[in-house]
Amino acid sequence: MSAKPGLWCDSINGNDMLQKKICLLGAFSVGKTSLIRRFVNSMFDARYFTTVGVKVDKKVVTVSSEEVMLLIWDISGEDEFQRMSASYLRGAAGYVVVVDGTRPKSYNTALAVQQRAVNVLGDVPAVTAVNKVDLVDSWVFTREQEDNLKQKGSVLYTSAKTGENVEQLFEVLARAIL
Amino acid sequence: MTVAALDTELEQVRQILLGDEYRDLLRFRSALEDDQQFVRRVAAVIAESLQARAAIDDSVAAVLMPTIERAISESIEQDPRKLAVSLYPVMGPAIRKSISETLQQMLDSVNQLLEASLSLRTLRWRLDAWRTGRSYAEIVLHNTLEYRVEQVFLIHRETSLLLQHQVAAGVEVRDGDMVSGMLSAIQDFIEDSFSTHEGDNLDTLRLGDLTVVLQRGPYALLAAVVRGRVPEQLRHQQTVILEKIHRFKHNQLRDFRGDTDEFAELGEDLRHLLTLKRKSDRKSGTGKIPWLAVVAVITLLAAVGYWQYTNYQVRQTDRQLLAALEREPGLVLLHANASRDELQVSLLADPLARAPADVVGAQGGERVVRFELQGFVSTEPEIVRQRAYRMFVPDERVSIEISNGTLRLDGRATSDWLAVVSRRWPDLAGVDALDTDALEVYNPRLEQLEQLTAEVEALHFSFATGAADIDPDGREVSTLVTAIRRLNDLHYQEFQRPVQLDLVGYTDGTGPRAINSRIGLTRAEALRKVLLAHGVGNVVLRVYNSFEYEEDGSSERKARVVVRFD
């Protein structure tokens, strides 16, 4: 279960706000967990821990003066040996596809993952995050790839390390869901 | 005009007025009147019509239900196999699941019965307590809490969002929303990783004595977190509640878009699941006498009684001891402090009084008594009497009594002693008068003088007829000298002057009186010489002749000393 400290509550959760499940998808090591950590806890850790299965976090965001509780499913990364389980996607109101700007392979994985998400979820809002914008020196992301992604929804250049565009990423998605 | 001609004319008028529309009307009429055509028309739209109506309300289902029911029953009457074959894929797993759940419940209850009837269990708890070093009560508590349903989660299956969360009082919980998500994720993970059959579900998670029991409906999942043994009826209760929820919230569950407000009213139902059971519940109400409680109460009463009794005894002993101390002359009780362990006594004690420990003596038994003493001078008669004895040291012929502050003397005492008493009695604390009426006072020196006088006067020196010689070294002379010396000493002490002795000579009656007188004087003179020779010259010696004699000559021829007091 969640290892996040400080989330003890005394009794019944009495929240009456809207709840939405969203998912973060993408190749291994693109920074899905780091984006969530930055977003939820405002922290960054350069060490890499691979996510096994899924980890659920939550954060309340305010969109157009309405509060929404996002339940963020951090789904383990995908590569040619391990495919993402579709059942984790079920019931998501939207999703973020994460691409690693320094690894061209992650772009291909992103396209495949996005296609499977469409198959499971249909036409729900999706946002693409091109992550690790702080490592712009080793950037391999092309204009063509960007254009291609933009056809499927918003594209944001993010950095979990510096926090750049992370808040916006989730805000854009929440706005699209509502 | 004939009727037929009129009709033809009318027909022509209609053709002119309505034209094509008239032909359409005719076609519509034939379509409605011709059953074949009407059936074809309705068949084209019947599915869409039903769909449209169903979207508005449930009347289609209501209308169709009796027909469908009849159809199904007729179908079963005609050939049950047909429907059985169709339902087989659905019914098979459902029946299997039902049977296996019933069996599991049966096994659980048999286990519970077996375990409850084993009286060895309490022995095992004692062993556990001894082995683990925990208290027996702790082990019993742990073991007697059969189960407690601590939390209930109602989770929307599709989105994994938490609809309702109920927590038993005093249970610490994590964030329910995240737990709900992770619970769903864990199920997905397990079902994806290990499941072999479609429709197989994870229904129990277990960690230590914590069990999460999952029960599913079509749209919602009910997870109960149980500490201890999972009660056999829990699954059934979960199912009942889930059915109820699906019945009343069917559309809201189906169309759920993240708004949990609509499910707030379900909290009450879910709270019914939060139950707690102690193992002892099972035994209550059987009408058995609670022997353990009875024994405990009796033991307690006995202990209290014994304690009271010993307390009473101790108090009695203390009272006796204190009374004895108060009675004792020369001791004054200041205060006493009694506790269960010891008796502390503060006393004023005259130095002449008995030691308090001796007063208490064997009377105290086991009782520990501690004394705190302060010296003082007592005026109690007994102590004053002792003090008087100590001060005056009377001889055994005298007795001293103290009454009302008067020192009363009785018996026989020397005048010297009385002189001392008379001088010193005012120094004696507790005495303000002296009473000597009953005392016989005597002077021991006078008595001794009398005794010595008798002794001296008893000594006779005898002579032959006409003779007057005395052996100066004779035993009689030395005896007399010694006696005279002591007599003189005493006399001097008593009267501060030497004793006066008359020396008297005696003759017999024969011979002439004048000669006898001379012989008598000679004899007294002889005694004087001897005495002077022995150094008793400091006494006053007078010499006489005694004329006391018998004419017949039977009188003694002698000389002797007569002591003179005047």
Side-chain angles (χ1 to χ4, degrees):
Chain A
M1 306 240 172
S2 169
K4 190 182 165 195
L7 273 174
W8 298 90
C9 61
D10 289 328
S11 61
I12 308 146
N13 74 322
N15 72 72
D16 50 359
M17 67 182 76
L18 215 52
Q19 297 184 29
K20 294 290 178 189
K21 169 180 172 177
I22 64 168
C23 295
L24 265 79
L25 322 170
F28 269 116
S29 184
V30 294
K32 296 179 292 297
T33 305
S34 295
L35 282 170
I36 294 170
R37 255 170 86 78
R38 165 60 70 184
F39 178 56
V40 175
N41 300 336
S42 304
M43 289 197 317
F44 178 77
D45 189 341
R47 290 172 296 172
Y48 176 65
F49 299 97
T50 183
T51 305
V52 177
V54 66
K55 184 177 174 300
V56 181
D57 250 310
K58 78 165 184 183
K59 171 134 178 172
V60 176
V61 294
T62 309
V63 178
S64 329
S65 72
E66 192 185 348
E67 286 195 320
V68 185
M69 184 193 289
L70 293 181
L71 282 137
I72 307 164
W73 286 48
D74 177 10
I75 297 171
S76 61
E78 158 154 345
D79 60 15
E80 58 264 42
F81 306 111
Q82 188 181 335
R83 279 169 59 102
M84 176 187 73
S85 166
S87 54
Y88 294 141
L89 292 171
R90 210 178 47 222
Y95 57 93
V96 177
V97 178
V98 186
V99 180
D100 183 346
T102 65
R103 283 191 297 146
K105 223 173 167 181
S106 70
Y107 168 75
N108 298 328
T109 311
L111 290 184
V113 163
Q114 174 135 35
Q115 189 52 51
R116 256 207 322 292
V118 169
N119 292 346
V120 175
L121 297 171
D123 187 21
V124 301
V127 179
T128 305
V130 184
N131 197 26
K132 308 192 187 174
V133 75
D134 52 296
L135 301 173
V136 79
D137 293 346
S138 40
W139 200 254
V140 294
F141 196 62
T142 65
R143 188 56 180 264
E144 188 192 341
Q145 289 173 330
E146 183 189 337
D147 289 341
N148 201 1
L149 284 173
K150 274 186 176 165
Q151 288 171 9
K152 302 171 197 299
S154 306
V155 176
L156 281 95
Y157 295 93
T158 59
S159 168
K161 191 172 182 179
T162 66
E164 186 179 340
N165 265 342
V166 175
E167 296 269 344
Q168 289 85 333
L169 174 69
F170 289 95
E171 245 178 65
V172 165
L173 184 63
R175 206 177 291 280
I177 289 168
L178 294 176
Chain B
M1 260 194 342
T2 64
V3 175
L6 203 64
D7 275 346
T8 312
E9 276 182 24
L10 261 174
E11 192 69 30
Q12 281 171 346
V13 172
R14 282 182 190 125
Q15 288 284 353
I16 291 160
L17 282 174
L18 300 169
D20 287 346
E21 282 166 7
Y22 183 61
R23 277 192 296 280
D24 283 343
L25 275 173
L26 287 179
R27 202 172 65 245
F28 285 146
R29 192 171 65 187
S30 72
L32 284 173
E33 282 171 0
D34 181 352
D35 283 349
Q36 288 287 325
Q37 277 192 45
F38 188 66
V39 165
R40 270 202 300 279
R41 296 243 3 123
V42 173
V45 297
I46 188 162
E48 285 81 352
S49 314
L50 286 175
Q51 198 176 17
R53 185 60 195 262
I56 297 163
D57 59 28
D58 289 331
S59 58
V60 176
V63 169
L64 288 179
M65 201 167 65
T67 317
I68 292 172
E69 278 171 354
R70 261 205 311 282
I72 290 171
S73 64
E74 254 186 57
S75 162
I76 290 169
E77 269 172 35
Q78 280 178 13
D79 184 6
R81 268 180 31 177
K82 233 177 204 170
L83 208 65
V85 167
S86 318
L87 285 175
Y88 180 73
V90 189
M91 295 299 284
I95 291 167
R96 272 202 305 281
K97 200 171 170 188
S98 165
I99 289 173
S100 74
E101 267 183 24
T102 311
L103 273 175
Q104 188 60 48
Q105 283 179 12
M106 250 170 66
L107 274 177
D108 281 353
S109 43
V110 167
N111 277 342
Q112 280 185 13
L113 269 174
L114 272 176
E115 278 200 17
S117 58
L118 272 181
S119 56
L120 274 174
R121 194 173 54 172
T122 52
L123 215 82
R124 200 180 62 222
W125 291 348
R126 291 228 174 260
L127 196 68
D128 279 355
W130 173 76
R131 194 167 48 78
T132 57
R134 290 192 291 172
S135 76
Y136 176 65
E138 204 178 327
I139 299 281
V140 169
L141 192 73
H142 176 79
N143 284 292
T144 51
L145 190 69
E146 191 165 295
Y147 66 81
R148 181 181 194 186
V149 182
E150 293 188 340
Q151 298 185 60
V152 181
F153 295 85
L154 180 67
I155 300 169
H156 188 245
R157 282 185 70 181
E158 173 73 11
T159 60
S160 320
L161 294 176
L162 183 65
L163 300 174
Q164 263 296 315
H165 182 202
Q166 293 293 333
V167 185
V171 176
E172 282 190 334
V173 293
R174 298 247 167 165
D175 185 293
D177 297 305
M178 277 156 63
V179 171
S180 160
M182 285 309 292
L183 257 181
S184 309
I186 288 167
Q187 289 173 72
D188 291 341
F189 173 73
I190 302 236
E191 285 159 18
D192 282 357
S193 307
F194 307 112
S195 172
T196 50
H197 299 288
E198 186 66 29
D200 278 357
N201 289 316
L202 178 72
D203 57 15
T204 309
L205 296 170
R206 188 166 293 166
L207 180 72
D209 64 344
L210 208 69
T211 310
V212 183
V213 182
L214 305 167
Q215 197 73 3
R216 287 172 184 74
Y219 294 114
L221 175 143
L222 195 55
V225 181
V226 185
R227 190 172 293 280
R229 165 191 297 282
V230 175
E232 50 198 289
Q233 71 277 15
L234 179 65
R235 258 186 206 288
H236 177 67
Q237 291 172 339
Q238 280 178 293
T239 311
V240 169
I241 288 177
L242 267 177
E243 281 171 4
K244 188 176 170 190
I245 289 169
H246 279 83
R247 196 156 57 241
F248 289 107
K249 296 286 176 187
H250 181 269
N251 292 345
Q252 290 94 324
L253 284 169
R254 189 188 56 201
D255 303 331
F256 180 65
R257 289 289 177 269
D259 185 2
T260 53
D261 279 2
E262 295 160 317
F263 302 95
E265 69 202 65
L266 297 176
E268 194 54 43
D269 282 325
L270 297 188
R271 254 198 298 284
H272 289 315
L273 287 175
L274 299 176
T275 52
L276 172 147
K277 187 176 182 187
R278 291 188 187 281
K279 286 180 177 167
S280 56
D281 287 1
R282 214 179 358 238
K283 284 176 184 164
S284 68
T286 54
K288 273 195 197 169
I289 297 166
W291 283 114
L292 210 63
V294 169
V295 168
V297 166
I298 287 173
T299 310
L300 191 73
L301 284 177
V304 168
Y306 177 73
W307 189 78
Q308 289 278 23
Y309 173 69
T310 52
N311 252 15
Y312 170 76
Q313 276 200 327
V314 164
R315 277 202 303 276
Q316 279 297 101
T317 307
D318 285 358
R319 252 201 294 279
Q320 284 167 9
L321 295 183
L322 294 176
L325 286 169
E326 277 193 312
R327 273 199 308 274
E328 182 67 17
L331 295 181
V332 175
L333 185 62
L334 292 180
H335 57 85
N337 194 2
S339 74
R340 224 181 136 69
D341 300 326
E342 62 173 29
L343 177 66
Q344 278 190 331
V345 186
S346 284
L347 292 166
L348 290 179
D350 190 285
L352 292 172
R354 270 206 297 167
D358 293 344
V359 177
V360 168
Q363 217 174 8
E366 303 272 288
R367 187 72 168 146
V368 178
V369 189
R370 233 176 266 285
F371 296 106
E372 194 183 302
L373 301 181
Q374 275 177 279
F376 92 117
V377 177
S378 171
T379 55
E380 278 183 77
E382 175 56 26
I383 296 296
V384 175
R385 197 176 74 89
Q386 285 188 35
R387 196 177 297 131
Y389 270 89
R390 266 174 105 91
M391 189 185 262
F392 301 129
V393 198
D395 71 32
E396 68 270 17
R397 287 174 298 182
V398 179
S399 72
I400 301 177
E401 293 302 328
I402 309 289
S403 66
N404 298 324
T406 302
L407 182 69
R408 210 178 296 280
L409 303 179
D410 199 353
R412 242 172 82 85
T414 64
S415 49
D416 288 352
W417 183 79
L418 182 61
V420 171
V421 171
S422 302
R423 196 170 65 246
R424 289 190 61 192
W425 72 263
D427 297 342
L428 196 63
V431 172
D432 42 35
L434 177 64
D435 177 3
T436 58
D437 290 353
L439 187 68
E440 187 190 330
V441 183
Y442 72 99
N443 192 330
R445 276 188 303 277
L446 290 180
E447 283 184 356
Q448 215 171 348
L449 278 172
E450 278 170 28
Q451 195 187 330
L452 280 171
T453 300
E455 206 174 302
V456 166
E457 287 182 349
L459 280 168
H460 293 215
F461 293 90
S462 300
F463 302 99
T465 306
D469 35 70
I470 297 170
D471 179 6
D473 302 322
R475 201 168 52 85
E476 286 180 316
V477 172
S478 72
T479 306
L480 182 64
V481 166
T482 308
I484 289 173
R485 280 197 176 123
R486 284 175 58 204
L487 182 66
N488 189 43
D489 284 350
L490 269 174
H491 193 272
Y492 209 89
Q493 281 176 30
E494 185 64 24
F495 303 110
Q496 287 79 42
R497 54 190 166 84
V499 71
Q500 290 187 14
L501 301 179
D502 289 346
L503 305 180
V504 185
Y506 296 85
T507 55
D508 56 18
T510 57
R513 199 172 175 87
I515 291 170
N516 280 346
S517 173
R518 198 171 42 85
I519 290 170
L521 270 175
T522 312
R523 284 176 178 162
E525 198 61 40
L527 185 56
R528 185 164 169 257
K529 277 182 186 146
V530 169
L531 291 175
L532 286 173
H534 275 88
V536 287
N538 54 342
V539 298
V540 178
L541 297 173
R542 290 194 305 187
V543 181
Y544 291 95
N545 172 42
S546 165
F547 291 101
E548 298 164 12
Y549 57 85
E550 300 298 323
E551 295 294 334
D552 59 1
S554 61
S555 303
E556 233 177 317
R557 298 175 293 271
K558 61 180 182 185
R560 69 177 187 110
V561 177
V562 174
V563 180
R564 236 181 48 205
F565 294 96
D566 42 21

